[in-house]
Amino acid sequence: MSSIERRFSLHVPSSTENLAMIRDFVSAVGLQAGLVEREVYNLELAVDEACANVIEHAYGPDVVKEVTVRATFDDERIEIDVIDTGMGFDPGAIDQKGLQQLVAERRSGGLGMRMMKALMDEVHYQIVPGEKNELRMVKMLRKGDRLSPPQ
Amino acid sequence: MSSIERRFSLHVPSSTENLAMIRDFVSAVGLQAGLVEREVYNLELAVDEACANVIEHAYGPDVVKEVTVRATFDDERIEIDVIDTGMGFDPGAIDQKGLQQLVAERRSGGLGMRMMKALMDEVHYQIVPGEKNELRMVKMLRKGDRLSPPQ
Amino acid sequence: MLLLWEKIPLNQEMASLANIFVVSRTLHDGIPVLALDGFLDAHTAPNFESAIQQEVDGGNLRIIANCDKLTYISSAGLGVFMSFIEEIRERGGDIKICSVQPKVMQVFEILGFPALFDIVTGVSDAIGKFQESNQER
Amino acid sequence: MLLLWEKIPLNQEMASLANIFVVSRTLHDGIPVLALDGFLDAHTAPNFESAIQQEVDGGNLRIIANCDKLTYISSAGLGVFMSFIEEIRERGGDIKICSVQPKVMQVFEILGFPALFDIVTGVSDAIGKFQESNQER
Ligand SMILES: Nc1ncnc2c1ncn2[C@@H]1O[C@H](COP(=O)(O)OP(=O)(O)O)[C@@H](O)[C@H]1O
Ligand SMILES: Nc1ncnc2c1ncn2[C@@H]1O[C@H](COP(=O)(O)OP(=O)(O)O)[C@@H](O)[C@H]1O
């Protein structure tokens, strides 16, 4: 990363109750990075999805476990890492079913990873089961977008 | 600490710009601990004072340095640690001047530590210069206060 | 003066952090309208789920979700619509979604909901949709 | 639809996080009234400091601080009052503080400000205080 880099991090118990706090944290960092409201909203949503996955899948309902959100930005990009120390999983093996199929199967889940990928410029996992599972999401700060209309 | 303990922490660059974020963090933890609005407000204020001191005195205007706020609560108490890795100081040697004297000297500071002590049940420092200076503040959760009128 | 304190309503800051979500129910032309207010995420989705479950259990299979005051939705909230719709349609009902704010609409669109759900402008349009399908039968 | 976005005002959540503080100036009976709005902390205190400095530089030594919309103050904000008051009084002026919300008043009280400052109910009371001291002279 170039220019002055700013680093923030938040650690909270693994509970859906803390998703609001995580979104407020991400929102504050996003505003400081110079994002406009729509961009902040989408960043909150992507991080919410990632953290909800940790809370639901990495640990189960074990509130003693922790979710870590790390945020770093400079003039060019904002990077968010969502970290758990749970059992991990193989992201490549996750079957990305279409909405129609999920509906037919009466599923209530299966949309989170798609949402993150739609909202962020980069999404990748680094999995070390039981030690450290890190999901890195990157959003480029295309400052030009705010001066000229989007293409 | 007894009962289920919940731990939270926040790390932000050492800049007054981040005081609002710190207050929002403290407010969210305080609400989850069951504090009422007045108590949340006072907790935010005490932590704001502690962090403003770190930002102003521990590092000077070096934004690369970090302020850490750790919050832990159970049924009985909420504990906040504010941590810096700056030069440290001798809290016992700080001359607590009266308001009248500060006004006569046209000072704009010198009130922060008094505020923390007035708002919290315990305030103590553990100083290891250049390594880790930790300010611990404790507020007892006198849940009874909310049922019966204050004495 | 301090005694007055407990009566002062939560300030803006706290209201936002409290992650408020409320479902309230009214009837329009006999059709239940569930008004969603606030933040619908993995924490609050179970509230919405049980509100829909209650309608289904009571045999009310024509449901309107009024999203007028819904300011936030994550995939956990979308999952509630997704998991009920098949059963409800099989039994001759539907969930019509109305009055969606642009920022929430964007989320519906990202996941392709407009192709599977009737998303309309207002409550009266949603009622209209149900009346149309009445005549078709 | 996405193009509309930039025009939507900041939502509640963001407004709170943005740590907004605004000083606006009006004249009442020739006396400058500085209305403080929002959060006065170590980050925003310099704005308030320069607003008072401007009055002093312009020879306006009778100043009213209207705290009607001041929702938060830390010792950095109190420090601004503290650092100017001696000079202003020596030169025959004063800072009167009015319309303080209970939660902010509590902070003034903790540090003993009511003994050193005139803190009154409304702007007209503050003007009255200045008129009283006119007559005394
Ligand atoms: N942090 C994680 N730890 C373990 N498993 C995970 C994690 N994140 C995602 N997964 C797995 O990936 C699957 C797909 O996730 P997602 O697309 O978000 O849908 P959903 O969470 O709604 O099932 C999950 O069902 C889960 O099996
Ligand atoms: N974290 C810290 N690191 C170094 N010095 C500190 C720290 N906190 C407080 N101090 C010292 O203690 C003094 C008194 O602090 P305080 O009562 O808050 O008043 P103020 O910060 O307005 O001067 C400060 O002026 C500073 O010298």
Side-chain angles (χ1 to χ4, degrees):
Chain A
M1 284 203 170
S2 63
S3 74
I4 305 155
E5 190 182 280
R6 308 236 172 179
R7 298 170 164 281
F8 302 78
S9 66
L10 176 71
H11 307 257
V12 300
S14 180
S15 159
T16 55
E17 182 176 14
N18 294 320
L19 288 172
M21 208 169 157
I22 290 168
R23 291 196 300 268
D24 284 345
F25 168 78
V26 169
S27 161
V29 176
L31 285 172
Q32 207 175 115
L35 299 183
V36 298
E37 191 189 0
R38 170 175 52 83
E39 296 167 323
V40 170
Y41 189 92
N42 290 346
L43 193 69
E44 284 183 57
L45 182 52
V47 179
D48 176 329
E49 297 291 346
C51 294
N53 274 352
V54 168
I55 294 162
E56 243 168 86
H57 305 300
Y59 303 125
D62 185 351
V63 149
V64 175
K65 303 290 187 182
E66 210 171 61
V67 185
T68 294
V69 182
R70 249 184 354 219
T72 313
F73 70 83
D74 62 11
D75 285 352
E76 284 167 16
R77 50 198 264 143
I78 180 160
E79 245 178 55
I80 311 258
D81 298 333
V82 172
I83 300 160
D84 70 69
T85 57
M87 56 178 159
F89 72 113
D90 180 357
I94 299 291
D95 195 9
Q96 296 266 350
K97 291 176 181 169
L99 182 59
Q100 207 118 26
Q101 196 183 343
L102 293 169
V103 161
E105 295 174 5
R106 299 167 195 210
R107 293 275 310 277
S108 66
L111 299 171
M113 278 169 63
R114 193 162 333 164
M115 192 91 93
M116 292 181 241
K117 284 178 188 161
L119 295 169
M120 303 296 285
D121 292 317
E122 286 176 34
V123 176
H124 43 255
Y125 285 90
Q126 201 179 321
I127 303 288
V128 189
E131 259 179 57
K132 190 185 177 199
N133 308 304
E134 191 172 317
L135 166 53
R136 169 159 298 183
M137 298 188 281
V138 179
K139 187 78 193 171
M140 301 310 293
L141 304 176
R142 281 176 288 259
K143 312 238 159 171
D145 277 13
R146 258 157 273 149
L147 303 173
S148 56
Q151 290 93 49
Chain B
M1 284 202 168
S2 64
S3 73
I4 304 155
E5 189 182 279
R6 308 235 172 179
R7 298 170 164 280
F8 302 79
S9 66
L10 176 71
H11 308 257
V12 300
S14 179
S15 160
T16 54
E17 180 177 17
N18 294 320
L19 288 172
M21 207 168 157
I22 290 167
R23 291 197 300 269
D24 284 345
F25 168 78
V26 169
S27 161
V29 176
L31 285 173
Q32 207 174 113
L35 299 183
V36 298
E37 191 187 0
R38 170 174 53 82
E39 296 167 323
V40 169
Y41 188 92
N42 290 347
L43 192 69
E44 284 182 57
L45 182 52
V47 179
D48 177 328
E49 296 293 344
C51 293
N53 274 352
V54 169
I55 294 163
E56 243 169 83
H57 305 299
Y59 303 125
D62 185 351
V63 149
V64 175
K65 302 289 188 187
E66 209 171 63
V67 185
T68 293
V69 182
R70 249 183 354 217
T72 312
F73 70 84
D74 62 12
D75 284 352
E76 284 166 16
R77 52 199 263 143
I78 179 159
E79 245 178 56
I80 311 259
D81 298 333
V82 173
I83 300 160
D84 70 68
T85 56
M87 56 178 159
F89 74 113
D90 180 358
I94 299 293
D95 195 9
Q96 297 265 350
K97 293 177 181 170
L99 182 60
Q100 208 116 26
Q101 196 183 342
L102 292 169
V103 162
E105 295 175 6
R106 299 168 194 210
R107 293 275 311 277
S108 65
L111 298 172
M113 278 167 63
R114 190 161 335 162
M115 191 90 94
M116 290 181 244
K117 284 176 189 163
L119 296 169
M120 302 296 284
D121 293 316
E122 286 176 35
V123 175
H124 43 255
Y125 285 90
Q126 201 179 321
I127 303 288
V128 188
E131 258 178 58
K132 192 186 178 197
N133 308 303
E134 192 172 317
L135 166 53
R136 170 161 298 184
M137 298 188 282
V138 179
K139 188 79 193 169
M140 301 309 294
L141 304 177
R142 281 176 288 259
K143 312 238 160 174
D145 277 11
R146 258 157 273 149
L147 302 173
S148 56
Q151 290 93 51
Chain C
M1 184 180 56
L2 285 182
L3 278 172
L4 278 172
W5 266 84
E6 325 298 288
K7 291 174 199 154
I8 296 171
L10 286 173
N11 65 27
Q12 282 197 352
E13 188 170 13
M14 291 178 185
S16 103
L17 287 166
N19 192 20
I20 285 164
F21 176 70
V22 180
V23 186
S24 39
R25 181 186 196 268
T26 49
L27 282 177
H28 289 244
D29 295 348
I31 298 170
V33 177
L34 302 178
L36 313 184
D37 186 341
F39 296 78
L40 180 50
D41 66 2
H43 190 59
T44 57
N47 300 351
F48 181 37
E49 198 181 324
S50 71
I52 300 228
Q53 189 64 60
Q54 269 176 40
E55 298 304 334
V56 172
D57 291 348
N60 299 313
L61 298 165
R62 307 181 141 206
I63 301 164
I64 296 172
N66 180 358
C67 298
D68 187 19
K69 290 181 181 148
L70 186 69
T71 47
Y72 181 84
I73 193 167
S74 73
S75 74
L78 297 173
V80 179
F81 289 103
M82 208 167 76
S83 63
F84 277 105
I85 196 67
E86 193 78 356
E87 178 192 351
I88 287 175
R89 283 185 182 156
E90 273 178 14
R91 294 172 59 186
D94 201 7
I95 303 175
K96 309 287 186 195
I97 301 169
C98 73
S99 313
V100 183
Q101 296 182 18
K103 56 191 173 187
V104 171
M105 189 61 197
Q106 176 212 210
V107 182
F108 279 113
E109 283 170 348
I110 287 172
L111 296 177
F113 269 59
L116 273 163
F117 286 83
D118 273 332
I119 305 179
V120 297
T121 308
V123 171
S124 57
D125 305 284
I127 292 170
K129 284 276 176 187
F130 278 126
Q131 285 163 348
E132 270 173 40
S133 59
N134 256 351
Q135 287 162 356
E136 281 165 22
R137 284 201 273 179
Chain D
M1 186 179 53
L2 287 181
L3 278 172
L4 278 172
W5 267 82
E6 325 297 288
K7 289 173 201 157
I8 296 171
L10 286 174
N11 65 27
Q12 282 196 353
E13 187 171 15
M14 290 180 185
S16 102
L17 288 165
N19 192 20
I20 285 163
F21 176 70
V22 180
V23 186
S24 39
R25 180 187 198 267
T26 50
L27 282 176
H28 290 243
D29 295 347
I31 297 171
V33 177
L34 301 179
L36 314 184
D37 186 341
F39 297 77
L40 180 51
D41 66 2
H43 190 60
T44 57
N47 300 350
F48 181 38
E49 198 182 325
S50 71
I52 302 230
Q53 190 63 60
Q54 270 176 41
E55 298 303 334
V56 172
D57 291 348
N60 299 313
L61 298 165
R62 309 183 139 206
I63 300 163
I64 296 172
N66 180 359
C67 297
D68 186 20
K69 291 183 181 148
L70 187 68
T71 48
Y72 181 84
I73 192 166
S74 73
S75 75
L78 297 173
V80 178
F81 290 102
M82 209 167 75
S83 63
F84 278 105
I85 195 67
E86 194 77 357
E87 177 190 352
I88 287 174
R89 284 185 182 156
E90 272 178 14
R91 295 171 59 186
D94 200 7
I95 304 175
K96 309 288 187 195
I97 300 169
C98 74
S99 314
V100 183
Q101 297 183 17
K103 56 191 174 187
V104 171
M105 189 62 196
Q106 176 212 210
V107 182
F108 279 112
E109 284 170 347
I110 286 172
L111 296 177
F113 270 58
L116 274 163
F117 286 83
D118 274 331
I119 304 180
V120 297
T121 308
V123 171
S124 57
D125 305 283
I127 291 170
K129 283 276 177 190
F130 277 125
Q131 284 163 349
E132 271 171 39
S133 60
N134 256 352
Q135 287 162 359
E136 281 164 25
R137 282 200 276 181

